[in-house]
Amino acid sequence: MTEDAARIEGLLRAMTLEEKVGQLTMIRADFDAAGSTLLAPKLADIAAGRAGSVLDLRGASAILPGQKAAVENSRLKIPLLFTLDVLHGYRTIFPVPLGEAAAFDPDLWTRTARAAAVEAAADGIALTYAPMLDVARDPRWGRIVESAGEDPFVTARFAEAKVKGFQTDDLARSDAVAATAKHFAGYAAVNAGREYASADFSQRTLEEVYLPPFAASVNAGVAAIMPAFIELAGVPLTAHRALLTGVLRERFGFDGVLISDFFAVAELIRHGVAADAAEAAALALDAGVDIDMASGTYTEGLPEALARGLVRIETIDAAVRRVLALKLALGLFEKPYARGEGALAPATIEAHRALAREAARQSVVLLQNNGALPLPAQTSRLAVIGPLADAPGEMLGPWRAAGEASETVSFLAGVETAFPQATVIHANGGDIPAALEAARASDAVLLFLGETANMSGEANSRARPVIPEAQRALAEAVFSLGKPVIVTLTSGRPLVAPWLFEKAHAVLAAWFLGSEAGNALGDILSGAAAPGGKLPLSWPFDAGQIPVYYGERPTGRPANPENHDTSKYLDVPNTPQFPFGQGLTYTRFDYTEPRASVATLRPGEILTVEVDIANIGDVAGEEIVYLFIRDPLASVTRPLLELKAFTRIKALPGERVTARFHLTTDAFSFPDAAGKPRLESGEIEILTGPGAAPSLLKRCRVHILTNE
Ligand code: BGC
């Protein structure tokens, strides 16, 4: 037995039932005028061993008394685990995940998570509720902003990068933070995009779309996983033994901690599968949920469930073991105060701000541009118009942790810095005549439209993901002047706005860019930097198309304008406004056909695919290159396109570079009904190019030869 295991067994032997249940109980911080705190009753619970972890307590000085109550006043001196939602930055706020996903840069994803962890840990936090790994294809669902978009392959890479960034390879480091992969699984598939509604999808979709990112997070060593609030085909995820224990623990080998979502254990009663706290607690614990977040149901129900024979003490012990193992791994027993002790050096904060600016530039997607961008250096009068122009707080998005509006650079401030010689005329757009006056007096109009932070995120589903009506009236009035209009869209989702894309000279998707929003945008508008992102999801043309995504499966009647009885709409096109991978920059690239290293590939062999990309514009640039596959004939239908690799390349004007991809035969297998990978003989198309629009892709073929 290892030293840690012996220590855990020793503690278990010493613990009363109340203390065991305490380790499985997460309490929430109290709140007063000064912020989060722990009031006397909760400190007493901690000292009595009735709480093992805390949610939402923020700030080292708020955390210290709680940790002291546990480590100095409780009988067994087991340290507390302090947890918070640190999704995309702690004090320095980085772009929201959907924005950062647009950078298609795992190294960047890791670096921002690392910076966030350093800041959060310095303030006492030991566990974050990130990364969010819900593959999301419905922009009505507000939490799409927290996702890495529509693609399981991208989300899996995002998972690995984020876990590495938060945790490092040694959780005991005082600047490491345990990651929580969430929300397991299929939360984004809620009915009609409505928050907390139920989901019901096939086993195949589960295997191909929703599980791979979680499998990747487990392989990367994620410390914790959170089941989704919702039910899937009749079983709430919080009580889903087949998925939590069967898939996560037994199939994926996950040995970390499962933490319920907020109040989700108690909500099993509302779901209609538990009659009371004892039944709810028993269902969740038996399914595999170790920690009850905030609902108090384990405290209330587990002793009773044990008395009624609904759970076994061995199941409680197993959960306690996992919680204690996490605390040991985090170094909390040895150094309970290490996180929260060291103030960050100003140079560290400065480096994080520079990183936030870089990440924001790489997250911005230039959706269209008729040449209006970058703005000419001689631009002397700029109108900055719209409700999101001078709205620093909105730039932080829906999960802002310790981010402050006062430390955030607005678009207006960024434009003023980037164009020091220009006269900048600002109008917030509430008064349309005043906005038009500003526009008339300018050479170009910068229009800042979109969503405020509270229009996306949790519980912010929108049946109509559009630009608010008043903003549309403003925009139409500005367009009518005939000036060059450059629109920057702030949002947590793609916004359906065909009318806007018809008239704007250039449109930038800026998501919620974080602390350095204005500076990053200034860099892009002036041409000091180029927009670096591409869409990590399809941008619908009409809300009625939702869900629209590139990985659809074939139909027996593909759309054909000449044939009525084919798969299409009478009133809108099938294609989105912009495809997955859409994103222009300040130069253009030309792609050759891909070249495969071999014509035939056998199991275990490696295929190398090369594609040459030439910068055919006038400035240096970066390009995101995609490799998709298509399996045209298999024992089950395969998606029309599947992403298997992506990379970023850089090229000088006139330069031609080669992107190289290495694929194992795993890339060509697909899950059978039990989730087991199956590789079939036959031809595979390899398609490379700048995005998922079929017209942009060039192809080659390889033949897979198995022994079957
Ligand atoms: C959300 C989770 C979050 C938790 C704790 C819940 O409402 O669904 O994503 O981690 O609250 O704040």
PDB file of all heavy atoms in Angstrom, residues 457-481:
ATOM      1  N   GLY A 457     -24.767  32.467 -21.991  1.00  0.00           N
ATOM      2  CA  GLY A 457     -24.379  31.765 -20.778  1.00  0.00           C
ATOM      3  C   GLY A 457     -25.562  31.010 -20.189  1.00  0.00           C
ATOM      4  O   GLY A 457     -26.613  30.859 -20.824  1.00  0.00           O
ATOM      5  N   GLU A 458     -25.362  30.551 -18.947  1.00  0.00           N
ATOM      6  CA  GLU A 458     -26.357  29.664 -18.332  1.00  0.00           C
ATOM      7  C   GLU A 458     -27.723  30.337 -18.198  1.00  0.00           C
ATOM      8  O   GLU A 458     -27.823  31.495 -17.792  1.00  0.00           O
ATOM      9  CB  GLU A 458     -25.867  29.226 -16.947  1.00  0.00           C
ATOM     10  CG  GLU A 458     -26.796  28.214 -16.329  1.00  0.00           C
ATOM     11  CD  GLU A 458     -26.266  27.628 -15.038  1.00  0.00           C
ATOM     12  OE1 GLU A 458     -25.079  27.847 -14.703  1.00  0.00           O
ATOM     13  OE2 GLU A 458     -27.039  26.934 -14.356  1.00  0.00           O
ATOM     14  N   ALA A 459     -28.749  29.579 -18.501  1.00  0.00           N
ATOM     15  CA  ALA A 459     -30.147  30.020 -18.389  1.00  0.00           C
ATOM     16  C   ALA A 459     -30.439  31.204 -19.312  1.00  0.00           C
ATOM     17  O   ALA A 459     -31.385  31.952 -19.072  1.00  0.00           O
ATOM     18  CB  ALA A 459     -30.513  30.334 -16.942  1.00  0.00           C
ATOM     19  N   ASN A 460     -29.661  31.389 -20.341  1.00  0.00           N
ATOM     20  CA  ASN A 460     -29.903  32.459 -21.301  1.00  0.00           C
ATOM     21  C   ASN A 460     -30.124  31.903 -22.701  1.00  0.00           C
ATOM     22  O   ASN A 460     -29.443  32.281 -23.658  1.00  0.00           O
ATOM     23  CB  ASN A 460     -28.765  33.477 -21.275  1.00  0.00           C
ATOM     24  CG  ASN A 460     -28.730  34.221 -19.950  1.00  0.00           C
ATOM     25  OD1 ASN A 460     -29.753  34.710 -19.475  1.00  0.00           O
ATOM     26  ND2 ASN A 460     -27.574  34.261 -19.316  1.00  0.00           N
ATOM     27  N   SER A 461     -31.070  30.994 -22.799  1.00  0.00           N
ATOM     28  CA  SER A 461     -31.462  30.499 -24.120  1.00  0.00           C
ATOM     29  C   SER A 461     -32.250  31.594 -24.832  1.00  0.00           C
ATOM     30  O   SER A 461     -32.943  32.384 -24.197  1.00  0.00           O
ATOM     31  CB  SER A 461     -32.337  29.254 -23.984  1.00  0.00           C
ATOM     32  OG  SER A 461     -31.557  28.164 -23.544  1.00  0.00           O
ATOM     33  N   ARG A 462     -32.088  31.626 -26.142  1.00  0.00           N
ATOM     34  CA  ARG A 462     -32.864  32.591 -26.937  1.00  0.00           C
ATOM     35  C   ARG A 462     -33.486  31.842 -28.117  1.00  0.00           C
ATOM     36  O   ARG A 462     -32.760  31.234 -28.900  1.00  0.00           O
ATOM     37  CB  ARG A 462     -31.960  33.711 -27.466  1.00  0.00           C
ATOM     38  CG  ARG A 462     -31.319  34.549 -26.369  1.00  0.00           C
ATOM     39  CD  ARG A 462     -30.425  35.635 -26.972  1.00  0.00           C
ATOM     40  NE  ARG A 462     -31.206  36.602 -27.736  1.00  0.00           N
ATOM     41  CZ  ARG A 462     -30.701  37.396 -28.687  1.00  0.00           C
ATOM     42  NH1 ARG A 462     -29.421  37.348 -28.979  1.00  0.00           N
ATOM     43  NH2 ARG A 462     -31.466  38.232 -29.341  1.00  0.00           N
ATOM     44  N   ALA A 463     -34.811  31.912 -28.218  1.00  0.00           N
ATOM     45  CA  ALA A 463     -35.475  31.245 -29.343  1.00  0.00           C
ATOM     46  C   ALA A 463     -35.040  31.900 -30.649  1.00  0.00           C
ATOM     47  O   ALA A 463     -34.986  31.253 -31.687  1.00  0.00           O
ATOM     48  CB  ALA A 463     -36.986  31.325 -29.185  1.00  0.00           C
ATOM     49  N   ARG A 464     -34.738  33.189 -30.563  1.00  0.00           N
ATOM     50  CA  ARG A 464     -34.294  33.919 -31.752  1.00  0.00           C
ATOM     51  C   ARG A 464     -32.899  34.491 -31.500  1.00  0.00           C
ATOM     52  O   ARG A 464     -32.775  35.575 -30.939  1.00  0.00           O
ATOM     53  CB  ARG A 464     -35.251  35.060 -32.066  1.00  0.00           C
ATOM     54  CG  ARG A 464     -36.646  34.592 -32.353  1.00  0.00           C
ATOM     55  CD  ARG A 464     -37.477  35.692 -32.969  1.00  0.00           C
ATOM     56  NE  ARG A 464     -38.843  35.235 -33.088  1.00  0.00           N
ATOM     57  CZ  ARG A 464     -39.819  35.552 -32.238  1.00  0.00           C
ATOM     58  NH1 ARG A 464     -39.577  36.378 -31.242  1.00  0.00           N
ATOM     59  NH2 ARG A 464     -41.022  35.069 -32.403  1.00  0.00           N
ATOM     60  N   PRO A 465     -31.872  33.778 -31.896  1.00  0.00           N
ATOM     61  CA  PRO A 465     -30.513  34.292 -31.689  1.00  0.00           C
ATOM     62  C   PRO A 465     -30.184  35.353 -32.736  1.00  0.00           C
ATOM     63  O   PRO A 465     -29.488  35.094 -33.716  1.00  0.00           O
ATOM     64  CB  PRO A 465     -29.642  33.043 -31.840  1.00  0.00           C
ATOM     65  CG  PRO A 465     -30.456  32.079 -32.638  1.00  0.00           C
ATOM     66  CD  PRO A 465     -31.894  32.445 -32.513  1.00  0.00           C
ATOM     67  N   VAL A 466     -30.708  36.549 -32.512  1.00  0.00           N
ATOM     68  CA  VAL A 466     -30.555  37.636 -33.492  1.00  0.00           C
ATOM     69  C   VAL A 466     -29.994  38.874 -32.814  1.00  0.00           C
ATOM     70  O   VAL A 466     -29.860  38.929 -31.593  1.00  0.00           O
ATOM     71  CB  VAL A 466     -31.917  37.987 -34.140  1.00  0.00           C
ATOM     72  CG1 VAL A 466     -32.465  36.796 -34.925  1.00  0.00           C
ATOM     73  CG2 VAL A 466     -32.930  38.440 -33.094  1.00  0.00           C
ATOM     74  N   ILE A 467     -29.706  39.873 -33.630  1.00  0.00           N
ATOM     75  CA  ILE A 467     -29.289  41.173 -33.102  1.00  0.00           C
ATOM     76  C   ILE A 467     -30.555  41.893 -32.615  1.00  0.00           C
ATOM     77  O   ILE A 467     -31.551  41.929 -33.332  1.00  0.00           O
ATOM     78  CB  ILE A 467     -28.585  41.977 -34.215  1.00  0.00           C
ATOM     79  CG1 ILE A 467     -27.264  41.276 -34.555  1.00  0.00           C
ATOM     80  CG2 ILE A 467     -28.367  43.427 -33.796  1.00  0.00           C
ATOM     81  CD1 ILE A 467     -26.525  41.876 -35.722  1.00  0.00           C
ATOM     82  N   PRO A 468     -30.533  42.431 -31.390  1.00  0.00           N
ATOM     83  CA  PRO A 468     -31.743  43.068 -30.867  1.00  0.00           C
ATOM     84  C   PRO A 468     -32.310  44.124 -31.837  1.00  0.00           C
ATOM     85  O   PRO A 468     -31.564  44.825 -32.524  1.00  0.00           O
ATOM     86  CB  PRO A 468     -31.264  43.700 -29.561  1.00  0.00           C
ATOM     87  CG  PRO A 468     -30.100  42.855 -29.145  1.00  0.00           C
ATOM     88  CD  PRO A 468     -29.441  42.407 -30.415  1.00  0.00           C
ATOM     89  N   GLU A 469     -33.628  44.196 -31.868  1.00  0.00           N
ATOM     90  CA  GLU A 469     -34.369  45.038 -32.820  1.00  0.00           C
ATOM     91  C   GLU A 469     -33.869  46.493 -32.846  1.00  0.00           C
ATOM     92  O   GLU A 469     -33.685  47.067 -33.916  1.00  0.00           O
ATOM     93  CB  GLU A 469     -35.852  44.977 -32.433  1.00  0.00           C
ATOM     94  CG  GLU A 469     -36.840  45.111 -33.560  1.00  0.00           C
ATOM     95  CD  GLU A 469     -36.451  44.399 -34.865  1.00  0.00           C
ATOM     96  OE1 GLU A 469     -36.197  43.165 -34.851  1.00  0.00           O
ATOM     97  OE2 GLU A 469     -36.371  45.103 -35.885  1.00  0.00           O
ATOM     98  N   ALA A 470     -33.644  47.087 -31.668  1.00  0.00           N
ATOM     99  CA  ALA A 470     -33.240  48.498 -31.631  1.00  0.00           C
ATOM    100  C   ALA A 470     -31.880  48.673 -32.310  1.00  0.00           C
ATOM    101  O   ALA A 470     -31.622  49.677 -32.986  1.00  0.00           O
ATOM    102  CB  ALA A 470     -33.170  48.985 -30.189  1.00  0.00           C
ATOM    103  N   GLN A 471     -31.014  47.681 -32.150  1.00  0.00           N
ATOM    104  CA  GLN A 471     -29.695  47.765 -32.798  1.00  0.00           C
ATOM    105  C   GLN A 471     -29.833  47.633 -34.309  1.00  0.00           C
ATOM    106  O   GLN A 471     -29.091  48.233 -35.075  1.00  0.00           O
ATOM    107  CB  GLN A 471     -28.778  46.671 -32.264  1.00  0.00           C
ATOM    108  CG  GLN A 471     -28.386  46.864 -30.817  1.00  0.00           C
ATOM    109  CD  GLN A 471     -27.366  45.820 -30.392  1.00  0.00           C
ATOM    110  OE1 GLN A 471     -26.506  45.409 -31.154  1.00  0.00           O
ATOM    111  NE2 GLN A 471     -27.464  45.392 -29.150  1.00  0.00           N
ATOM    112  N   ARG A 472     -30.790  46.818 -34.728  1.00  0.00           N
ATOM    113  CA  ARG A 472     -30.993  46.669 -36.176  1.00  0.00           C
ATOM    114  C   ARG A 472     -31.443  48.006 -36.772  1.00  0.00           C
ATOM    115  O   ARG A 472     -30.953  48.425 -37.826  1.00  0.00           O
ATOM    116  CB  ARG A 472     -32.027  45.577 -36.462  1.00  0.00           C
ATOM    117  CG  ARG A 472     -32.261  45.451 -37.946  1.00  0.00           C
ATOM    118  CD  ARG A 472     -33.064  44.236 -38.331  1.00  0.00           C
ATOM    119  NE  ARG A 472     -33.233  44.225 -39.789  1.00  0.00           N
ATOM    120  CZ  ARG A 472     -33.780  43.256 -40.473  1.00  0.00           C
ATOM    121  NH1 ARG A 472     -34.219  42.178 -39.845  1.00  0.00           N
ATOM    122  NH2 ARG A 472     -33.904  43.328 -41.782  1.00  0.00           N
ATOM    123  N   ALA A 473     -32.353  48.690 -36.070  1.00  0.00           N
ATOM    124  CA  ALA A 473     -32.828  49.988 -36.568  1.00  0.00           C
ATOM    125  C   ALA A 473     -31.653  50.954 -36.688  1.00  0.00           C
ATOM    126  O   ALA A 473     -31.514  51.675 -37.691  1.00  0.00           O
ATOM    127  CB  ALA A 473     -33.896  50.534 -35.628  1.00  0.00           C
ATOM    128  N   LEU A 474     -30.793  50.943 -35.681  1.00  0.00           N
ATOM    129  CA  LEU A 474     -29.601  51.807 -35.704  1.00  0.00           C
ATOM    130  C   LEU A 474     -28.725  51.453 -36.906  1.00  0.00           C
ATOM    131  O   LEU A 474     -28.296  52.330 -37.668  1.00  0.00           O
ATOM    132  CB  LEU A 474     -28.829  51.624 -34.392  1.00  0.00           C
ATOM    133  CG  LEU A 474     -27.420  52.208 -34.336  1.00  0.00           C
ATOM    134  CD1 LEU A 474     -27.475  53.746 -34.349  1.00  0.00           C
ATOM    135  CD2 LEU A 474     -26.669  51.735 -33.081  1.00  0.00           C
ATOM    136  N   ALA A 475     -28.463  50.164 -37.069  1.00  0.00           N
ATOM    137  CA  ALA A 475     -27.570  49.728 -38.147  1.00  0.00           C
ATOM    138  C   ALA A 475     -28.150  50.076 -39.517  1.00  0.00           C
ATOM    139  O   ALA A 475     -27.440  50.596 -40.384  1.00  0.00           O
ATOM    140  CB  ALA A 475     -27.332  48.222 -38.038  1.00  0.00           C
ATOM    141  N   GLU A 476     -29.427  49.842 -39.710  1.00  0.00           N
ATOM    142  CA  GLU A 476     -30.049  50.132 -41.015  1.00  0.00           C
ATOM    143  C   GLU A 476     -29.918  51.624 -41.315  1.00  0.00           C
ATOM    144  O   GLU A 476     -29.626  52.022 -42.452  1.00  0.00           O
ATOM    145  CB  GLU A 476     -31.528  49.717 -41.033  1.00  0.00           C
ATOM    146  CG  GLU A 476     -31.780  48.235 -40.775  1.00  0.00           C
ATOM    147  CD  GLU A 476     -31.719  47.341 -42.021  1.00  0.00           C
ATOM    148  OE1 GLU A 476     -31.141  47.779 -43.038  1.00  0.00           O
ATOM    149  OE2 GLU A 476     -32.232  46.199 -41.939  1.00  0.00           O
ATOM    150  N   ALA A 477     -30.118  52.454 -40.297  1.00  0.00           N
ATOM    151  CA  ALA A 477     -30.006  53.907 -40.507  1.00  0.00           C
ATOM    152  C   ALA A 477     -28.576  54.271 -40.893  1.00  0.00           C
ATOM    153  O   ALA A 477     -28.351  55.073 -41.816  1.00  0.00           O
ATOM    154  CB  ALA A 477     -30.435  54.646 -39.243  1.00  0.00           C
ATOM    155  N   VAL A 478     -27.614  53.676 -40.234  1.00  0.00           N
ATOM    156  CA  VAL A 478     -26.205  53.972 -40.545  1.00  0.00           C
ATOM    157  C   VAL A 478     -25.863  53.478 -41.953  1.00  0.00           C
ATOM    158  O   VAL A 478     -25.235  54.192 -42.741  1.00  0.00           O
ATOM    159  CB  VAL A 478     -25.270  53.351 -39.478  1.00  0.00           C
ATOM    160  CG1 VAL A 478     -23.809  53.452 -39.909  1.00  0.00           C
ATOM    161  CG2 VAL A 478     -25.468  54.023 -38.127  1.00  0.00           C
ATOM    162  N   PHE A 479     -26.306  52.287 -42.306  1.00  0.00           N
ATOM    163  CA  PHE A 479     -26.031  51.756 -43.651  1.00  0.00           C
ATOM    164  C   PHE A 479     -26.580  52.698 -44.731  1.00  0.00           C
ATOM    165  O   PHE A 479     -25.987  52.862 -45.788  1.00  0.00           O
ATOM    166  CB  PHE A 479     -26.665  50.367 -43.840  1.00  0.00           C
ATOM    167  CG  PHE A 479     -25.965  49.261 -43.099  1.00  0.00           C
ATOM    168  CD1 PHE A 479     -26.699  48.267 -42.449  1.00  0.00           C
ATOM    169  CD2 PHE A 479     -24.577  49.189 -43.063  1.00  0.00           C
ATOM    170  CE1 PHE A 479     -26.063  47.233 -41.773  1.00  0.00           C
ATOM    171  CE2 PHE A 479     -23.936  48.147 -42.390  1.00  0.00           C
ATOM    172  CZ  PHE A 479     -24.683  47.174 -41.733  1.00  0.00           C
ATOM    173  N   SER A 480     -27.719  53.311 -44.434  1.00  0.00           N
ATOM    174  CA  SER A 480     -28.369  54.127 -45.467  1.00  0.00           C
ATOM    175  C   SER A 480     -27.525  55.343 -45.854  1.00  0.00           C
ATOM    176  O   SER A 480     -27.762  55.959 -46.884  1.00  0.00           O
ATOM    177  CB  SER A 480     -29.767  54.542 -45.012  1.00  0.00           C
ATOM    178  OG  SER A 480     -29.634  55.508 -43.982  1.00  0.00           O
ATOM    179  N   LEU A 481     -26.532  55.698 -45.040  1.00  0.00           N
ATOM    180  CA  LEU A 481     -25.675  56.844 -45.372  1.00  0.00           C
ATOM    181  C   LEU A 481     -24.680  56.503 -46.481  1.00  0.00           C
ATOM    182  O   LEU A 481     -24.073  57.393 -47.079  1.00  0.00           O
ATOM    183  CB  LEU A 481     -24.896  57.313 -44.143  1.00  0.00           C
ATOM    184  CG  LEU A 481     -25.711  57.796 -42.943  1.00  0.00           C
ATOM    185  CD1 LEU A 481     -24.785  58.216 -41.816  1.00  0.00           C
ATOM    186  CD2 LEU A 481     -26.618  58.954 -43.348  1.00  0.00           C
TER     187      LEU A 481
END
